[in-house]
Amino acid sequence: MANGLDDVVAAETVLSDVDGAGGHLTIRGHSLTELAGHWRYGQVVRLLFDGFFDELPGDDELEKAIGNARVEIFERLQPMLAELPALDVYSGMRAGIALLPDGESLADALRLIAAPAVLTPALLRLGRGEKPLTPDARADHANDMLRMLSGTPSPALAKALDTYLVTVCDHGLNASTFATRVVTSTQAGLTSAILAGLGALKGPLHGGAPGPVIEMLDAIEASGDAAAWLRNEIARGERIMGFGHRIYRVRDPRADVLKAVVRRLGTRNESGRRLAFAETVEQAALDVLKVAKPQRSIQTNVEFYTALLLEAAGFPKEAFSNVFAAGRVAGWIAHAREQQATGRLIRPQSRYVGPVPDLVA
Ligand code: ACO
């Protein structure tokens, strides 16, 4: 029995396929490289939702509906926002989402798509003593998220965030998507399912890794010796954040997409300097891991360059998982609908290995 359900097939899906040996990600028949940088996030939401909601409008209409949902979320949750920043920004976002109706309609789904993009900048602004900015229903989703954080972004930055949201929109039966499907299988509503996904995404072995990647880069820069720092971490039994994956045995294809995005943001500015440094750390980490864990192929994962991209976009590291959630929520919703259509409760078995009662005749 595998404690981590390795290699267990627990769902059939038309949504995405992770080819761990080849290093390919397919999303509804499209390769990641076909979508990232070419399709807007709103278009990819439509691609994922297609067939899972009746009367799904076309791309433009759906993007408008997402814009309207951002405004609705803001108006609905703004009176409560001031109470939420006492929590960390991820828990604050989750608490805000928990206040949404637990329905199953397209309107419920679009509110859930909109919520992380609205709540994250609002909570960050409140946390630094600034007033939250009202969403602009007509703006592109990624552009508006950045605008609500710190004013109108450059087109390059808005494009970078849009590409990021597309890159992380879905990824097979990862831990958070599985959690979402388990909750949906009980016939709970979409909000309950998304809250389960958010809980699973938070941990550092899943979506919580990019914040620690920044801490690692800072610590390595201060130490002045990447290889020694990394060797010492492994000797202490620590994991190197941004490396390793349950499925990929080669480089995570999302890492390359995001690295190219960071490179396009400029090579002569702070993000270019950070990228050059990160590349040296990446090589050192791959070398150290090869020696320390020869039995396992441990390669760069999506979180390594996520950290650089979201840092360049102006998000503080404590909000990185929020932005991940803003992209992944589309995949969670589509998986929830797909699971619901099976009508089957997910209920595996455990093997009892505890003490047995004395059976006295
Ligand atoms: N650093 C050091 N050692 C590692 C790492 C790492 N990043 N990843 C795996 N290993 C080692 C383990 O210590 C273990 O070594 P051992 O056999 O000597 O005990 C061996 O590789 C196998 O580890 P498992 O835990 O069985 O591998 P698994 O496939 O479960 O790990 C995981 C996947 C959890 C992502 C792991 O690689 C890890 O912890 N990485 C760091 C955190 C991270 O980057 N998370 C983001 C993942 S991407 C995502 O979820 C979006």
Side-chain angles (χ1 to χ4, degrees), residues 204-207 209 234 238-246 249 252 254 289 293 295-296 298 301-303 324:
L205 297 192
H206 189 15
I234 292 184
E238 298 292 338
R239 292 184 175 215
I240 310 300
M241 290 294 140
F243 294 86
H245 199 271
R246 176 62 63 80
R249 287 294 151 258
D252 181 337
R254 299 169 298 172
L289 285 165
K293 307 282 173 185
Q295 75 286 6
R296 183 91 167 169
I298 303 175
N301 68 43
V302 64
E303 304 290 37
F324 193 157

Side-chain angles (χ1 to χ4, degrees), residues 64-148:
K64 273 188 210 150
I66 293 172
N68 290 335
R70 286 196 304 275
V71 174
E72 188 196 331
I73 288 290
F74 188 80
E75 286 170 356
R76 196 187 265 251
L77 296 181
Q78 198 195 13
M80 279 83 99
L81 282 179
E83 306 302 319
L84 302 178
L87 305 166
D88 64 85
V89 67
Y90 194 84
S91 306
M93 173 186 72
R94 193 172 48 183
I97 290 173
L99 298 169
L100 297 176
D102 204 11
E104 289 168 5
S105 67
L106 180 62
D108 292 306
L110 296 184
R111 273 193 290 271
L112 289 163
I113 293 280
V118 172
L119 289 169
T120 302
L123 291 168
L124 288 171
R125 286 183 76 88
L126 281 169
R128 47 187 208 225
E130 296 168 8
K131 223 173 144 239
L133 295 178
T134 315
D136 175 357
R138 291 157 311 165
D140 174 76
H141 195 60
N143 188 305
D144 205 28
M145 190 173 178
L146 288 171
R147 191 192 57 77
M148 286 187 277

Side-chain angles (χ1 to χ4, degrees), residues 14-17 24-36 39 44 47:
V14 297
L15 293 166
S16 60
D17 179 49
H24 301 295
L25 169 60
T26 302
I27 297 170
R28 291 210 100 167
H30 300 269
S31 72
L32 173 65
T33 46
E34 237 181 284
L35 299 177
W39 289 43
V44 171
L47 178 72

Side-chain angles (χ1 to χ4, degrees), residues 262-298:
V262 178
R263 179 164 289 145
R264 276 198 294 277
L265 289 177
T267 49
R268 289 165 187 266
N269 52 16
E270 176 53 23
S271 92
R273 190 199 66 79
R274 198 65 155 158
L275 175 63
F277 178 66
E279 281 175 325
T280 63
V281 170
E282 180 186 15
Q283 193 50 55
L286 294 173
D287 293 344
V288 166
L289 285 165
K290 198 170 174 185
V291 173
K293 307 282 173 185
Q295 75 286 6
R296 183 91 167 169
S297 170
I298 303 175

Side-chain angles (χ1 to χ4, degrees), residues 5 15 20 30 52 56 62 85 103 108 170 184 188 214 217 228 276 286:
L5 301 182
L15 293 166
H30 300 269
F52 293 115
L56 199 59
L62 189 73
D108 292 306
D170 198 41
T184 301
I214 292 293
L217 290 175
L286 294 173

